[in-house]
Amino acid sequence: MIYVLAYPEFDQICASRIHDFRAKYEPHRAKLVPPHLTLVFGVKSEHLPIISELAEAVSRQTPAFHITFDNHAIEFDPFEKKHKIFLLCGKGSSNVTALHNQLYDGEHRAEFSATQPFRPHMTVATCDTSAQIERINVSHVGPIPLHATLRALEVVQLSNGALSTIKTLPFRR
C-alpha cells in the first residue's frame, strides 16, 4: 500500500512529549511511523507512478507552512475498527486539506471513502474499546495549541508490516 504523509516538525520538548504519549497509547504505530498527517490513505501500489508525479508537482508549488493542533476528538475508525484520539489541525488546516485534495487528483481517488470526509488530524492513541480510549488524559500530550511546521511530503510504502520511504519531497523554498 502507498501513502503520502507529512511529518510535522515540533520544538524538541513538544516532540518528546508526543513521542512518549504515542509510545504509551499506540506503541505499534509509534514504532512504525513518526507523528504524521496522512494526506493519501493506503492505495494500491499500482498507483505509485501517478501519486509520485502528483506529490512532486504539489511539493514544488507549496511553501513550508505553520500548523497548530488546537483540539482533540475521540472517534471510532471504521476501517481499522479501533477507537482513536485525533489531535485536530486548526491553523493551517485549509492548507493541509488543499494538499490532500491535490494529491487525490487521479484515478486512485476511487479508493478514497466519500463516507469519511477528510479532516486534518494526527492520531496519537489507538485502543480496542471506547472505555479504554476515554480513560486517556489527552492533556499529557502537552498544552494546546501545539505548534509545528510542515516542510515536505513523504511518499511511503507499507509492505509486510514495515514502512519504507520511497521519496522525500521538500516544499518550495
Side-chain angles (χ1 to χ4, degrees):
M1 300 298 282
I2 303 298
Y3 296 80
V4 178
L5 309 177
Y7 298 127
E9 293 179 9
F10 297 97
D11 70 59
Q12 186 61 35
I13 293 170
C14 184
S16 246
R17 281 194 312 261
I18 292 168
H19 174 270
D20 293 347
F21 191 90
R22 290 182 72 233
K24 183 173 183 178
Y25 295 113
E26 61 170 12
H28 175 72
R29 186 164 296 153
K31 288 178 188 170
L32 180 68
V33 61
H36 63 280
L37 296 153
T38 304
L39 300 169
V40 173
F41 296 85
V43 296
K44 296 175 189 158
S45 295
E46 67 193 51
H47 298 298
L48 178 58
I50 187 66
I51 289 171
S52 289
E53 185 179 307
L54 283 168
E56 286 178 21
V58 168
S59 68
R60 283 193 304 266
Q61 299 170 13
T62 305
F65 61 96
H66 299 287
I67 60 172
T68 60
F69 295 95
D70 310 73
N71 207 345
H72 77 279
I74 295 175
E75 295 194 8
F76 179 73
D77 180 337
F79 303 105
E80 290 184 31
K81 307 220 182 313
K82 301 279 186 180
H83 297 267
K84 297 182 176 186
I85 294 176
F86 296 157
L87 295 183
L88 302 174
C89 191
K91 177 182 174 190
S93 66
S94 61
N95 296 32
V96 174
T97 299
L99 289 173
H100 165 78
N101 291 340
Q102 292 169 22
L103 291 166
Y104 268 100
D105 190 20
E107 70 251 8
H108 59 288
R109 184 167 194 80
E111 294 188 37
F112 183 71
S113 172
T115 62
Q116 295 293 315
F118 179 75
R119 276 193 340 183
H121 71 276
M122 180 173 62
T123 305
V124 293
T126 303
C127 294
D128 291 328
T129 68
S130 61
Q132 290 171 312
I133 203 88
E134 289 174 15
R135 285 193 295 267
I136 297 173
N137 185 344
V138 181
S139 70
H140 292 154
V141 81
I144 300 290
L146 304 176
H147 299 269
T149 303
L150 295 182
R151 299 185 191 281
L153 298 176
E154 300 278 332
V155 179
V156 300
Q157 183 170 29
L158 181 62
S159 180
N160 299 320
L163 193 71
S164 57
T165 298
I166 295 170
K167 289 183 179 183
T168 300
L169 301 162
F171 289 155
R172 173 176 56 97
R173 292 190 187 261

